[in-house]
Amino acid sequence: MPGEEKNMITIPTYMFMECLKNHAIAIGRSATDGCGEFMAGGEEGTLEAFNCAACVCHQNFHRKVEVPPPVREGAKKRFRTKFTKDQKEKMRLFAHKNGWKIYNAGDAEVRSFCEEIGVSRKVLKVWMHNHKADKLPAAADAATATA
């Protein structure tokens, strides 16, 4: 069902890359064997599967890298509305004038304002909700108070 996909937990998948085991630790030096990638030394589910077939080291000695999950076909990225500085300033003044509530303005006034700045009513409503904590610039606040 489509609703179940949102609640699914994705288990990260890992690849084990080059071996980092220091073979010269006993003499105070650093030397690795050059194994480039972990290859399981046995069948999955057996203890031998944890040892590398190339260098015979345990997989914990190999660098662990998380592999990103594949992008599902048909998955769409959410569209994000971009506003110009002029649009933002006009919306801020409009919102301040109406107490940051879209229903305080008349329907005709909101429709006219949205057409003027080129955004839909829904976009304006979401923007007002997301920015109601913003402070109005002092110069604009003084201009609104005198108007």
Side-chain angles (χ1 to χ4, degrees):
M1 283 205 257
E4 291 179 12
E5 290 179 15
K6 291 181 182 178
N7 296 330
M8 289 178 53
I9 297 172
T10 55
I11 300 170
T13 8
Y14 298 100
M15 283 183 61
F16 293 92
M17 303 307 287
E18 70 273 5
C19 183
L20 302 174
K21 183 176 182 182
N22 185 0
H23 294 279
I25 191 105
I27 59 172
R29 303 277 179 160
S30 177
T32 57
D33 58 18
C35 177
E37 185 176 348
F38 176 81
M39 295 183 330
E43 302 238 354
E44 190 175 333
T46 64
L47 290 176
E48 291 82 26
F50 291 107
N51 291 327
C52 181
C55 66
V56 195
C57 294
H58 192 274
Q59 77 178 11
N60 288 347
F61 286 107
H62 290 258
R63 184 172 60 92
K64 187 177 180 180
V65 179
E66 187 173 344
V67 178
V71 177
R72 296 181 322 195
E73 287 186 34
K76 293 182 182 179
K77 191 173 179 181
R78 184 179 67 84
F79 176 75
R80 185 179 176 112
T81 307
K82 304 285 186 192
F83 300 107
T84 64
K85 285 184 179 183
D86 187 47
Q87 283 176 318
K88 289 178 192 176
E89 189 58 30
K90 286 181 179 179
M91 287 190 292
R92 185 170 281 113
L93 290 171
F94 180 80
H96 184 70
K97 182 180 92 176
N98 291 297
W100 290 92
K101 296 192 180 347
I102 201 162
Y103 60 81
N104 285 354
D107 191 44
E109 183 184 0
V110 172
R111 190 178 308 118
S112 171
F113 177 75
C114 289
E115 287 175 8
E116 176 189 331
I117 66 169
V119 298
S120 70
R121 178 187 173 95
K122 182 178 178 182
V123 169
L124 175 64
K125 182 179 177 182
V126 169
W127 186 91
M128 286 174 68
H129 175 76
N130 290 342
H131 293 86
K132 62 186 166 194
D134 292 355
K135 300 287 186 213
L136 190 67
D141 196 15
T144 308
T146 59

